[in-house]
Amino acid sequence: MAAAGAGVAPSSLLRRGLPSSLAPSNPPSSSAMPHRRAPPPLLSLTATPSRARFAAAAAPDNGSASSYGNQTSLMPPFSSLMLGESSRSKKLYKWQRVLLKVSGEALAGDHTENIDPKVTMAIAREVASVTKLGVEVAIVVGGGNIFCGASWAGCSGLDRSSADYIGMMATVMNAIFLQATMESIGIPTRVQTAFRISEVAEPYIRRRAIRHLEKGRVVIFAAGTGNPFFTTDTAAALRCAEINAEVVLKATNVDGVYDADPKREPNARILETVSYNEVISRDLSVMDMTAVTLCQENNIPVVVFNLQNTGNIAKAIVGEKVGTYIGCTRNQDQSAESALDQERSLVK
């Protein structure tokens, strides 16, 4: 046995399970060892700059200054990374994410048809002009141009809940029409409904809606809140709070909020700024009280403006002065404007 193992390397004996005592005391020299094929060379991690960074980061640091210097030379400075991210996320406009509320009556235009294609095309073009600037836009549409649940409740035995559900489906019709108009001019658009109509639209999922907005898509919310007895104004305030939008832009057929009914009072004047409490106490017909209260509790400003004036949508979205501003006081608004000016100067 000893003679058999005299010419075998110790490592071979160990692999065979033989005790090391049987191995020869003087192992053969390297010249006597059988030649083995060298392992293939490892791929170089420094082929590209990105791989070089990983190689420098993975290399052991022995505390030498040269190793630390090589690592810092390959990796970009942390301050420059942070500066690049902040410069891309800087807000060049008053609002970065907005919710546009379009009433069904405004979509009817001159009321010759339920939906006026000229109105939808005007909305699409103005929304397109601001989405190219990086502003994220979500839209809530009403359905009063097709069916108003509150007006039909009680007719022919139709209860309020059923009438409101019919009105919700009317908002879906408007949303699909508006989506088709926007996509015809190259705006990627998604429709999300409060109840499932999987064949024609996505169900409302908050995180998915936010992701669509982050990718530059326009999201249209239809079917209100999905519950009867709640208006689409309340749905606009709710969706605005859910997706973390900064303002509700209410596009209507009037220039703003008046101190009296302009149809009855010819001397009624438009209000440039009004508070939530004033809207509630004076019963100004802007939005229903549920929507106003929801905006007040979540500190969401509301801008009411005329949809029929060309350029008003784009002006309202980028934060220019248009219509009536509801929410903050004038001093708070001025402080916000000064902060915005400071941000613009930093970016420049």
Side-chain angles (χ1 to χ4, degrees), residues 241-321:
E242 286 183 309
I243 66 174
N244 301 322
E246 299 167 275
V247 64
V248 172
L249 306 175
K250 183 174 171 59
T252 63
N253 290 328
V254 295
D255 294 331
V257 180
Y258 291 84
D259 58 355
D261 189 352
K263 296 180 180 179
R264 299 179 182 179
E265 297 291 338
N267 296 327
R269 61 184 183 88
I270 190 172
L271 302 175
E272 294 183 359
T273 304
V274 63
S275 64
Y276 300 112
N277 293 330
E278 191 174 0
V279 171
I280 297 174
S281 61
R282 298 176 61 176
D283 194 18
L284 300 176
S285 57
V286 182
M287 308 168 72
D288 62 274
M289 294 300 103
T290 306
V292 174
T293 304
L294 187 58
C295 290
Q296 182 180 18
E297 290 177 351
N298 293 277
N299 196 25
I300 299 173
V302 181
V303 177
V304 182
F305 62 96
N306 195 334
L307 176 65
Q308 298 178 356
N309 294 341
T310 305
N312 270 2
I313 295 178
K315 291 178 181 178
I317 290 177
V318 299
E320 294 185 15
K321 189 174 181 181

Side-chain angles (χ1 to χ4, degrees), residues 58 61 72 105 108 124 143 170 201 239 259 262 287 301 335:
D61 187 4
T72 54
E105 291 81 0
R239 296 289 183 252
D259 58 355
M287 308 168 72
S335 62

Side-chain angles (χ1 to χ4, degrees):
M1 188 70 179
V8 183
S11 59
S12 302
L13 294 174
L14 292 177
R15 284 197 300 269
R16 294 178 185 178
L18 296 177
S20 59
S21 59
L22 296 179
S25 58
N26 296 325
S29 61
S30 59
S31 60
M33 292 290 290
H35 178 70
R36 294 183 180 181
R37 181 181 299 176
L42 295 176
L43 294 177
S44 175
L45 292 177
T46 59
T48 61
S50 59
R51 290 181 176 177
R53 297 189 187 101
F54 285 114
D61 187 4
N62 298 326
S64 62
S66 59
S67 174
Y68 183 76
N70 292 335
Q71 183 173 355
T72 54
S73 62
L74 290 173
M75 290 294 292
F78 179 75
S79 60
S80 64
L81 287 175
M82 295 301 295
L83 182 60
E85 292 293 333
S86 62
S87 62
R88 286 194 297 268
S89 61
K90 277 290 184 182
K91 298 192 300 182
L92 300 179
Y93 301 96
K94 188 172 184 178
W95 296 298
Q96 185 66 23
R97 179 179 296 170
V98 303
L99 189 137
L100 177 64
K101 168 60 171 64
V102 181
S103 63
E105 291 81 0
L107 290 176
D110 55 2
H111 297 279
T112 57
E113 298 288 344
N114 288 336
I115 303 178
D116 189 350
K118 296 179 181 178
V119 175
T120 57
M121 182 57 71
I123 295 173
R125 287 174 177 171
E126 294 196 35
V127 170
S129 65
V130 295
T131 53
K132 293 178 180 178
L133 302 176
V135 180
E136 302 170 0
V137 181
I139 302 175
V140 171
V141 291
N145 56 322
I146 299 175
F147 190 92
C148 183
S151 301
W152 284 89
C155 298
S156 301
L158 187 65
D159 60 280
R160 174 65 186 274
S161 296
S162 299
D164 284 346
Y165 282 122
I166 297 174
M168 293 177 202
M169 289 185 281
T171 67
V172 177
M173 297 168 66
N174 287 335
I176 295 174
F177 195 105
L178 187 58
Q179 179 191 30
T181 305
M182 288 190 170
E183 290 186 339
S184 67
I185 61 174
I187 309 175
T189 310
R190 300 291 183 271
V191 174
Q192 292 193 350
T193 57
F195 50 74
R196 290 186 176 272
I197 314 178
S198 302
E199 290 75 12
V200 297
E202 299 178 2
Y204 170 69
I205 301 175
R206 174 181 172 271
R207 289 182 178 269
R208 181 181 292 180
I210 293 175
R211 186 57 179 158
H212 284 323
L213 294 173
E214 291 173 347
K215 289 184 176 181
R217 300 165 183 161
V218 174
V219 181
I220 304 176
F221 299 118
T225 65
N227 302 296
F229 301 98
F230 290 94
T231 66
T232 51
D233 286 342
T234 302
L238 177 63
R239 296 289 183 252
C240 182
E242 286 183 309
I243 66 174
N244 301 322
E246 299 167 275
V247 64
V248 172
L249 306 175
K250 183 174 171 59
T252 63
N253 290 328
V254 295
D255 294 331
V257 180
Y258 291 84
D259 58 355
D261 189 352
K263 296 180 180 179
R264 299 179 182 179
E265 297 291 338
N267 296 327
R269 61 184 183 88
I270 190 172
L271 302 175
E272 294 183 359
T273 304
V274 63
S275 64
Y276 300 112
N277 293 330
E278 191 174 0
V279 171
I280 297 174
S281 61
R282 298 176 61 176
D283 194 18
L284 300 176
S285 57
V286 182
M287 308 168 72
D288 62 274
M289 294 300 103
T290 306
V292 174
T293 304
L294 187 58
C295 290
Q296 182 180 18
E297 290 177 351
N298 293 277
N299 196 25
I300 299 173
V302 181
V303 177
V304 182
F305 62 96
N306 195 334
L307 176 65
Q308 298 178 356
N309 294 341
T310 305
N312 270 2
I313 295 178
K315 291 178 181 178
I317 290 177
V318 299
E320 294 185 15
K321 189 174 181 181
V322 59
T324 301
Y325 185 90
I326 305 173
C328 300
T329 61
R330 191 163 301 175
N331 293 333
Q332 291 174 331
D333 191 30
Q334 290 176 355
S335 62
E337 287 290 344
S338 62
L340 180 63
D341 293 338
Q342 291 178 358
E343 288 183 349
R344 288 173 177 169
S345 63
L346 288 175
V347 172
K348 293 179 180 179

